Amino acid sequence: MVTPSFRLRGFDIHKEFLDREAQVALLDDLRDVVARAPLFSPRTPRGKPMSVRMTSAGTYGWYSDGAGYRYERRHPDGQPWPPIPERVQAIWSALVSPNRGPDCCLVNFYDARARMGLHQDRDEADFSWPVLSVSLGDDALFRIGNATRGGKTESLWLHSGDVVVMGGDARLTYHGVDRIRPGTSTLLPDGGRINLTLRVVD
Ligand code: SIN
Ligand code: MN
């Protein structure tokens, strides 16, 4: 197994896991994904539009609207999600398991004003599989809380190329993104941040 740079509240933080060349290649793959499955703005179950735009690759895509948070086999336009790019699968293979691939690669796009409130990832059937997250583009202030809502939290800046693995006792830990720091990366020509989260769904 690959040793993380450090651990914070059970989250394995792999700083600079992807070098610039690998980030550029990944971005190229993601352009194909977004061309086939355009970004959209989901609504929370309470009807509020999320500030993050998203799409997915894989057997399942994560989705939300007035009917709740869930996984769907199709993009809202009716098409199946495109396959998870091989370079993305390779990161999972290196850090989680070469034997069982992820079912979903959620692609989140943060513009300068986007954020993501503290939440748990709990729409999956089997919490023994970790969630793996890849950061690309502008820096993000990532906040880690506790197994239940509330209590003290700790934050760290995630940079382009960093990978986080949330598993074991930390699989259901609350986490979120307070803000991004615009202009901190030149990876995306128009700025912003992309976060990929890979999950086993069923
Ligand atoms: C998420 O928790 O779904 C996204 C985390 C991130 O953007 O770093
Ligand atoms: Mn999450």
Side-chain angles (χ1 to χ4, degrees):
M1 270 285 110
V2 185
T3 314
S5 315
F6 59 91
R7 268 189 149 210
L8 188 60
R9 298 194 175 198
F11 285 34
D12 284 343
I13 319 288
H14 298 265
K15 297 302 291 177
E16 296 172 28
F17 186 77
L18 303 170
D19 63 17
R20 178 74 179 204
E21 197 185 337
Q23 295 170 39
V24 169
L26 214 52
L27 193 59
D28 250 17
D29 292 341
L30 295 172
R31 286 203 176 93
D32 292 341
V33 168
V34 171
R36 291 172 65 177
L39 293 167
F40 56 90
S41 303
R43 290 187 173 264
T44 66
R46 289 173 164 201
K48 222 179 125 214
M50 294 176 75
S51 60
V52 172
R53 289 192 292 146
M54 57 181 69
T55 190
S56 292
T59 311
Y60 293 100
W62 190 83
Y63 192 70
S64 173
D65 62 13
Y69 300 131
R70 61 194 183 275
Y71 284 96
E72 291 282 356
R73 284 183 178 268
R74 288 174 184 273
H75 185 276
D77 74 5
Q79 298 278 81
W81 307 99
I84 300 176
E86 269 174 31
R87 276 185 273 251
V88 175
Q89 307 232 33
I91 303 169
W92 175 277
S93 203
L95 294 180
V96 178
S97 165
N99 304 316
R100 192 337 176 169
D103 303 312
C104 172
C105 170
L106 173 63
V107 181
N108 286 317
F109 177 77
Y110 295 76
D111 67 16
R113 287 174 312 279
R115 55 183 295 280
M116 189 175 287
L118 279 175
H119 66 277
Q120 293 171 298
D121 284 13
R122 56 173 314 137
D123 304 316
E124 302 75 28
D126 181 356
F127 300 135
S128 67
W129 287 99
V131 171
L132 182 151
S133 132
V134 181
S135 293
L136 294 170
D138 286 335
D139 297 350
L141 187 57
F142 185 68
R143 186 178 291 276
I144 305 177
N146 303 286
T148 52
R149 202 173 266 293
K152 286 207 172 112
T153 63
E154 284 177 88
S155 303
L156 75 156
W157 284 97
L158 293 178
H159 306 292
S160 197
D162 292 351
V163 174
V164 179
V165 180
M166 325 178 211
D169 289 345
R171 176 62 179 76
L172 291 173
T173 294
Y174 277 84
H175 58 277
V177 172
D178 288 355
R179 61 191 162 92
I180 74 161
R181 197 154 53 184
T184 43
S185 164
T186 55
L187 184 70
L188 295 162
D190 297 323
R193 171 177 186 256
I194 294 173
N195 172 263
L196 308 178
T197 43
L198 308 184
R199 296 105 183 256
V200 166
V201 173
D202 56 20

